[in-house]
């Protein structure tokens, strides 16, 4: 019996040793990540296969990327092609997405290639337009016989290059018909890109005195920068046109706002609380529960998403908002606004905010917002080295300024910049502020969702070409019955959209007045005599034509994919503007003619109602551009406060 007990105990010890050895061997494999990087997990990978297929959808995504991306890529910084030579136009090169194994796997979610979560929380995107937008015109709606013409035939040679790009691209993303997926697209990190000098369209558009693009041929896609890997790249026309699947329509943007204006990933938790935060929490509650109140005769409910909510938010801004302006920064880049030209919005805002004692405080402990008072236009003129084709000096200049602010004050570090804001109209501003100032509220003319504009955090700045000390002069236009042209456009042929517009419509139809550059006087006359004014993007999504159209009571037709129009958080743009996707340029006339007369008259009347919000005055006037910009910044800050 003793012998039997001894043998049993020995057998038990041997089994335990074997089990311990197997466990140690497994841990050793896990530690050295052999052979799969996760040995134990790989044993059960088959169990997760169906679940991963359930929450990930593989589609063709053609946003200017021409390299295949695999499921396991963690992050995708942009690198330019290595081929040599200069490329004098925008159509010479395309962006490449390369895998970056240095990024944490969670970053992949931000790019939209892998979406993890409860599918029950993914709400379908509402695609309904305003009912009048899609009404087929009835005979009773039209006072005169309709204009009948067929659009020119599509030139197959123009769009043929798209196919080669589409065939080369496969990315795993969440379909854009879900609210969360659209949020991820709109809040994904910006690609590292350069920005061409903007709109020098007509004599009405006065560019800055120094245009580095003309002097140096600075374009996107012509080289890779050293250092952090940022590049100056721009996709080709074919790649841009191939990005139709990545277009976020104005209806989707609006529905995002109506459902949840500020995604949870934008909420901020400061390192320590402040009295200002408590005030903003109270303000947030009051805005959300704003009673229906239409006592203000200066506002028109028809052009707002919710006029009562806007009115309450505006009133609370007037009574509560306090801003601290940093004194640091040497002129002319800081504290010295420029008040003329197509970038003048940033200068007029700086000038009028500094003169507005109502909103300023000298005690930063009482401030709700902190203003970084630099001019993106002057930064380019003073710091940029012509011929360098590099943003390094511009970025370094701003980073040194920011380091000074961080070292001298504690306020940036409290929120990592979430309660700081900047106002910049130059095309290069998104790239200059993309990293170190990423958490700031950015009021930008170049409000492009594809270039890092954060929907629900950043604010779209109206680009206004100002040529006099009183920007509000020369307003108005002909009555609808006296507007003899269906549509009008004139401007320089930069960017990829405008040449296409002219190819299909210049000298093709007497009702479609589509030109290149035009004399200033004739330009204004055509705007005042046309039903619709085409606001086609140039190198970037923004154009001063949007504000010009509203000034001359011409219904703006915006052809600029993924452009976030100014004040979208409060104004309902679909009530006074028409949005046409870039791919639909060949059908432009038929689209405009399909709008019933009664619908056009509503658009026209609403343009007149919204005009007051797009005017600058020598002294700010209630609800004008200055106050609307300030309200957008205020509103976005209020709704970034975590309850």
């Amino acid at each position: 019996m003793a012998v039997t007990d001894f043998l049993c105990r020995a057998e038990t010890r041997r089994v335990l040793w074997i089990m311990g050895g197997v466990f140690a061997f497994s841990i050793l494999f896990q530690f050295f990540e052999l052979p799969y990087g996760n040995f134990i997990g790989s044993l059960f990978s088959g169990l997760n296969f169906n679940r991963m297929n359930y929450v990930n959808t593989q589609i063709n995504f053609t946003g200017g990327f021409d390299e295949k991306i695999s499921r396991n890529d963690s992050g995708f910084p942009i690198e330019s092609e290595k081929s040599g030579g200069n490329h004098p136009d925008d159509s010479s090169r395309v962006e490449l997405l390369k895998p970056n194994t240095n990024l944490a796997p969670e970053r992949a979610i931000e790019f939209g290639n892998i979406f993890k979560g409860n599918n029950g929380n993914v709400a379908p995107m509402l695609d309904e337009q305003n009912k009048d937008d899609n009404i087929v015109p009835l005979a009773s709606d039209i006072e005169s016989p309709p204009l009948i013409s067929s659009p020119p035939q599509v030139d197959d040679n123009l769009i043929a290059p798209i196919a080669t790009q589409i065939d080369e691209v496969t990315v795993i993303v969440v379909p854009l018909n879900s609210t969360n997926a659209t949020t991820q697209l709109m809040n994904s990190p910006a690609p590292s890109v350069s920005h061409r000098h903007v709109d020098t369209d007509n004599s009405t558009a006065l560019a800055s005195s120094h245009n580095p693009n003309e002097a140096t041929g600075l374009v996107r896609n012509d080289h890779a920068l050293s250092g952090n890997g940022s590049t100056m790249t721009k996709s080709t026309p074919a790649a841009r046109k191939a990005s139709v699947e990545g277009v976020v329509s104005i209806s989707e943007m609006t529905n995002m706002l109506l459902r949840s204006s500020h995604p949870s990933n934008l909420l901020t938790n400061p390192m320590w609380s402040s009295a200002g935060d408590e005030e903003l929490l109270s303000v947030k509650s009051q805005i959300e529960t704003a009673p229906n109140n239409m006592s203000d005769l200066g506002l028109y409910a028809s052009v707002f998403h919710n006029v009562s909510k806007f009115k309450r938010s505006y009133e609370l801004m007037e009574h509560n908002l306090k801003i601290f302006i940093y004194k640091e920064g040497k002129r002319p880049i800081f504290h010295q606004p420029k008040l003329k030209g197509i970038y003048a919005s940033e200068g007029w805002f700086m000038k009028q905010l500094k003169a507005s004692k109502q909103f300023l405080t000298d005690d930063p402990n009482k401030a709700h917002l902190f203003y970084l008072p630099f001019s993106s236009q002057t930064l380019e003129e003073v710091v940029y080295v012509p011929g360098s084709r590099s943003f390094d000096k511009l970025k370094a200049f701003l980073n040194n300024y920011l380091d000074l602010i961080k070292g001298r004050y504690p306020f940036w570090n409290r929120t990592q910049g979430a309660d700081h804001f900047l106002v910049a109209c130059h095309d290069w501003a998104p790239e200059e502020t993309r990293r170190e100032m990423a958490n700031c509220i950015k009021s930008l003319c170049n409000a492009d969702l594809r270039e890092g504009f954060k929907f629900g955090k950043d604010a779209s700045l109206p680009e206004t070409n100002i040529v006099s000390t009183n920007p509000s002069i020369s307003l108005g236009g002909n009555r609808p019955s006296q507007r003899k042209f269906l549509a009008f456009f004139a401007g320089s042929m930069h960017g990829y959209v405008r040449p296409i517009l002219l190819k299909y419509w210049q000298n093709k139809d007497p009702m479609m007045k589509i030109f290149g550059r035009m004399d200033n006087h004739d330009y204004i006359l055509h705007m005042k005599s046309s039903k619709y004014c085409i606001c086609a993007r140039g190198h970037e999504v923004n154009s001063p034509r949007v504000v010009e159209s509203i000034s001359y009571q011409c219904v703006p037709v915006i052809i600029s994919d993924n452009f976030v129009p100014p004040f979208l958080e409060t104004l309902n743009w679909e009530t006074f503007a028409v949005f046409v996707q870039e791919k639909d340029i060949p059908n432009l006339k038929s689209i405009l003619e399909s709008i019933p007369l009664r619908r056009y008259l509503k658009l026209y009347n609403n343009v007149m109602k919204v005009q007051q919000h797009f005017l600058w005055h020598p002294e700010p006037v209630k609800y004008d551009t200055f106050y609307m910009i300030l309200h957008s910044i205020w509103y976005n800050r209020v709704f970034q406060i975590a309850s």
Side-chain angles (χ1 to χ4, degrees):
M1 183 62 112
V3 174
T4 304
D5 291 341
F6 173 80
L7 292 176
C8 288
R9 286 196 296 271
E11 186 68 18
T12 300
R13 284 196 295 270
R14 184 167 59 179
V15 170
L16 291 175
W17 274 105
I18 292 173
M19 292 176 63
V22 171
F23 181 78
F25 187 73
S26 300
I27 294 298
L28 184 65
F29 266 57
Q30 176 75 6
F31 179 79
F32 287 103
E33 298 187 338
L34 297 171
Y36 302 106
N38 189 339
F39 176 73
I40 296 176
S42 67
L43 296 176
F44 306 98
S45 61
L47 299 178
N48 297 324
F49 181 79
N50 291 333
R51 181 176 62 86
M52 288 297 294
N53 281 343
Y54 181 69
V55 298
N56 293 298
T57 305
Q58 183 170 352
I59 65 171
N60 285 332
F61 183 78
T62 55
F65 309 146
D66 67 351
E67 180 164 303
K68 290 185 178 180
I69 308 300
S70 66
R71 180 186 300 270
N72 292 322
D73 289 336
S74 300
F76 316 106
I78 298 175
E79 297 180 355
S80 65
E81 291 182 8
K82 302 298 183 180
S83 58
N86 295 326
H87 304 275
D89 57 40
D90 291 336
S91 62
S92 56
R93 308 287 288 278
V94 296
E95 295 174 351
L96 294 178
L97 284 178
K98 301 286 187 179
N100 180 1
T101 57
N102 294 325
L103 293 179
E106 300 93 282
R107 292 293 305 279
I109 299 175
E110 296 177 3
F111 283 86
N113 66 318
I114 297 177
F115 178 72
K116 298 179 180 180
N118 184 352
N119 285 349
N121 294 330
V122 180
M125 178 60 62
L126 296 179
D127 290 323
E128 294 183 0
Q129 300 276 351
N130 186 303
K131 292 182 179 180
D132 285 337
D133 289 345
N134 297 317
I135 296 177
V136 177
L138 304 174
S140 59
D141 294 331
I142 303 176
E143 297 174 350
S144 57
L147 302 171
I148 301 175
S149 67
S150 58
Q153 296 298 315
V154 176
D155 186 348
D156 292 335
N157 294 326
L158 186 65
I159 60 175
I162 300 178
T164 59
Q165 301 297 330
I166 294 177
D167 292 339
E168 290 294 322
V169 184
T170 302
V171 180
I172 300 171
V173 299
V174 179
L176 287 179
N177 62 351
S178 73
T179 301
N180 289 340
T182 307
T183 303
Q184 289 177 355
L185 171 63
M186 293 188 289
N187 292 303
S188 61
S192 186
V193 296
S194 74
H195 300 274
R196 297 292 299 267
H197 218 270
V198 303
D199 219 338
T200 54
D201 294 81
N202 292 285
S203 52
T204 60
L206 304 177
S208 66
S209 58
H210 170 61
N211 187 334
N213 297 319
E214 295 177 358
T216 66
L218 174 62
V219 296
R220 303 182 185 188
N221 273 342
D222 56 1
H223 69 290
L225 300 179
S226 59
N228 60 13
S230 63
T231 60
M232 292 174 137
T233 58
K234 180 168 182 173
S235 57
T236 63
R240 286 277 190 167
K241 288 184 291 180
S243 67
V244 173
E245 293 182 22
V247 175
V248 180
S249 71
I250 188 65
S251 295
E252 289 174 320
M253 294 182 197
T254 301
N255 286 328
M256 280 292 299
L257 281 169
L258 297 180
R259 286 169 176 265
S260 177
S261 59
H262 293 75
S264 59
N265 66 308
L266 295 179
L267 298 179
T268 59
N269 291 303
M271 295 182 65
W272 63 88
S273 61
S274 70
D277 290 347
E278 295 302 318
E279 292 175 6
L280 292 182
L281 276 174
S282 174
V283 165
K284 181 178 179 181
S285 176
Q286 293 179 64
I287 294 174
E288 290 175 330
T289 59
N292 292 329
N293 186 347
M294 278 304 300
S295 61
D296 194 330
L297 299 179
L299 295 175
Y300 301 93
S302 60
V303 297
F304 286 88
H305 298 306
N306 186 325
V307 70
S308 298
K309 190 174 181 180
F310 168 75
K311 186 175 184 295
R312 185 58 179 147
S313 177
Y314 190 96
E315 291 171 346
L316 291 167
M317 177 188 75
E318 286 185 310
H319 290 106
N320 295 281
L321 175 59
K322 293 300 176 186
I323 298 172
F324 179 78
I325 302 179
Y326 288 108
K327 306 296 190 295
E328 288 74 11
K330 294 182 179 180
R331 296 171 182 263
I333 295 174
F334 298 91
H335 305 289
Q336 187 170 317
K338 291 198 171 186
L339 304 178
K340 290 186 179 181
I342 57 176
Y343 306 117
S345 289
E346 65 179 32
W348 275 76
F349 179 86
M350 184 189 298
K351 173 181 179 290
Q352 295 191 339
L353 179 61
K354 284 193 166 191
S356 177
K357 305 301 181 183
Q358 172 187 1
F359 297 112
L360 300 186
T361 179
D362 291 327
D363 184 355
N365 293 293
K366 296 180 179 179
H368 304 101
L369 287 165
F370 297 80
Y371 177 41
L372 303 173
F374 75 94
S375 165
S376 62
Q377 176 184 1
T378 309
L379 176 68
E380 175 265 316
E381 293 175 353
V382 174
V383 178
Y384 176 74
V385 178
S388 67
R389 297 174 180 166
S390 171
F391 290 130
D392 288 350
K393 287 187 177 296
L394 286 77
K395 292 180 180 179
F397 188 92
L398 288 181
N399 293 345
N400 290 338
Y401 168 74
L402 201 55
D403 288 340
L404 175 65
I405 296 299
K406 292 177 182 178
R408 192 167 289 183
Y409 302 90
F411 307 107
W412 176 281
N413 298 325
R414 189 183 79 89
T415 64
Q416 294 302 305
D419 54 358
H420 288 56
F421 73 95
L422 59 92
V423 178
C425 197
H426 196 280
D427 278 2
W428 294 357
E431 175 64 16
E432 294 162 355
T433 62
R434 185 171 63 90
R435 293 185 182 274
E436 282 72 14
M437 296 183 179
N439 289 335
C440 289
I441 299 172
K442 303 178 187 180
S443 183
L444 302 171
C445 288
N446 188 4
D448 187 349
L449 290 177
R450 304 292 293 178
E451 295 193 0
F453 185 91
K454 300 291 185 182
F455 193 78
K457 177 182 77 69
D458 296 333
S460 180
L461 178 67
E463 183 174 359
T464 309
N465 180 42
I466 299 177
V467 296
S468 72
T469 56
N470 186 358
S472 299
I473 62 175
S474 186
L475 299 176
N478 296 340
R479 299 175 61 182
S481 60
Q482 297 173 331
R483 291 180 177 262
K484 55 185 177 180
F485 305 125
L486 177 65
F488 164 69
F489 172 86
S492 299
M493 290 299 103
H494 54 72
Y496 62 92
V497 167
R498 297 179 186 183
I500 298 175
L501 180 66
L502 262 67
K503 179 179 180 63
Y504 284 109
W505 294 110
Q506 186 177 32
N507 300 322
K508 298 296 196 303
D509 190 293
M511 300 303 294
M512 301 286 288
K513 297 298 181 180
I514 309 298
F515 306 99
R517 289 179 63 87
M518 175 180 283
D519 172 78
N520 182 35
H521 180 262
D522 290 340
Y523 179 85
I524 295 176
L525 286 180
H526 275 80
M527 274 205 159
K528 292 184 174 184
S529 303
S530 300
K531 292 182 172 63
Y532 299 97
C533 287
I534 310 302
C535 306
R537 62 168 293 157
H539 290 305
E540 306 299 341
V541 293
N542 47 300
S543 169
R545 279 174 194 75
V546 177
V547 174
E548 289 172 348
S549 299
I550 294 171
S551 297
Y552 300 126
Q553 298 170 7
C554 182
V555 176
V557 177
I558 298 175
I559 307 179
S560 182
D561 290 352
N562 294 318
F563 171 57
V564 181
F567 319 137
L568 182 61
E569 64 278 348
T570 53
L571 293 181
N572 184 358
W573 275 78
E574 291 180 283
T575 65
F576 59 91
V578 176
F579 290 77
V580 175
Q581 289 192 11
E582 295 164 9
K583 68 181 179 65
D584 292 326
I585 289 176
N587 303 316
L588 180 58
K589 184 179 180 182
S590 61
I591 290 172
L592 297 180
E593 286 186 330
S594 70
I595 299 174
L597 178 61
R598 67 177 183 273
R599 172 64 179 158
Y600 164 73
L601 293 176
K602 287 182 180 179
L603 292 168
Y604 173 83
N605 288 327
N606 285 337
V607 165
M608 291 192 292
K609 292 175 182 177
V610 81
Q611 189 180 74
Q612 63 173 325
H613 305 304
F614 293 89
L615 299 179
W616 290 100
H617 300 90
E619 297 293 332
V621 175
K622 192 171 186 177
Y623 303 136
D624 74 353
T625 301
F626 168 74
Y627 285 111
M628 292 295 288
I629 294 170
L630 194 60
H631 177 266
S632 290
I633 296 167
W634 151 265
Y635 186 86
N636 283 356
R637 175 56 188 155
V638 166
F639 280 89
Q640 284 183 54
I641 296 290
S643 302

